[in-house]
Amino acid sequence: MKKLLLAGIVGTSLFAVSCSTVQKAKDAQNVRSEFLKMKGDWQIVSIDYDKQYKIKPFDEGADAQCFVGSHWRFIPNNYSGSYTLNGGGSCPSVIQAIKADIKGDTFTFKKIAEGTKAKQNTAGYTLRVINNSTDQFSLEQNVSFEGNSIRVVYNFERTGMDYTR
């Protein structure tokens, strides 16, 4: 009787663990499928925010308008990518490697400095995905400034799926 009870407990435990593992795998696949929708090359076509504030996104030291026309690439097989600011005028020329992820409507990314690994950088940015479709999406960021919350919306359009560059 004790052996039968022990076998039942072990069996139930194994079943519970396997179900948990299956659910985690499904959750991971759902996250991956959300990120796959963003696979490819994108361009920021506009940035909406209260123009009375001077916004300098993502600690680049560049005005938000320098990001209009910037090129973003998302590679879902390893959650990597990059963004490129074109430069010109008072805008710097920047090529920045990133690690990005999406869970539901939350998009996160962190900048990866050359010669470092993603796990060495714990700081990053969290934005909310809005207006997501096949060829365009927007990311919303709320920035705190002197007790006010400033809503910044980055509007992206797909430019391609080319990974040869």
Side-chain angles (χ1 to χ4, degrees):
M1 183 69 172
K2 287 183 183 179
K3 288 181 182 179
L4 184 59
L5 183 60
L6 181 59
I9 291 172
V10 170
T12 303
S13 298
L14 289 175
F15 179 74
V17 168
S18 68
C19 288
S20 173
T21 302
V22 169
Q23 186 59 44
K24 286 180 184 177
K26 285 181 182 178
D27 291 346
Q29 190 60 33
N30 287 338
V31 167
R32 181 165 169 67
S33 69
E34 286 297 313
F35 196 66
L36 280 169
K37 290 177 187 175
M38 298 174 88
K39 173 182 179 177
D41 296 322
W42 298 83
Q43 182 177 41
I44 294 181
V45 293
S46 65
I47 301 175
D48 303 323
Y49 63 97
D50 185 343
K51 302 294 193 267
Q52 73 175 336
Y53 297 101
K54 187 160 185 83
I55 305 291
K56 294 187 176 189
F58 315 125
D59 299 319
E60 287 299 345
D63 185 81
Q65 293 308 308
C66 294
F67 280 81
V68 174
S70 63
H71 174 257
W72 293 65
R73 172 171 289 166
F74 301 114
I75 305 170
N77 69 330
N78 62 1
Y79 298 94
S80 67
S82 64
Y83 64 80
T84 303
L85 301 183
N86 301 323
S90 62
C91 298
S93 179
V94 174
I95 298 174
Q96 179 62 61
I98 62 173
K99 282 289 189 179
D101 199 1
I102 185 169
K103 290 183 178 137
D105 68 346
T106 302
F107 176 84
T108 58
F109 80 94
K110 57 185 174 179
K111 299 191 301 186
I112 308 301
E114 192 171 332
T116 63
K117 296 185 182 217
K119 65 183 177 183
Q120 293 172 314
N121 180 4
T122 58
Y125 307 92
T126 301
L127 299 97
R128 190 170 72 86
V129 179
I130 55 176
N131 305 325
N132 194 4
S133 71
T134 305
D135 293 323
Q136 60 187 17
F137 71 93
S138 298
L139 294 177
E140 177 186 58
Q141 180 181 35
N142 290 307
V143 180
S144 295
F145 179 74
E146 295 181 354
N148 295 319
S149 181
I150 304 165
R151 181 177 183 254
V152 182
V153 177
Y154 306 90
N155 300 301
F156 289 77
E157 284 187 3
R158 184 181 298 281
T159 59
M161 297 287 279
D162 181 17
Y163 292 113
T164 59
R165 290 186 268 155

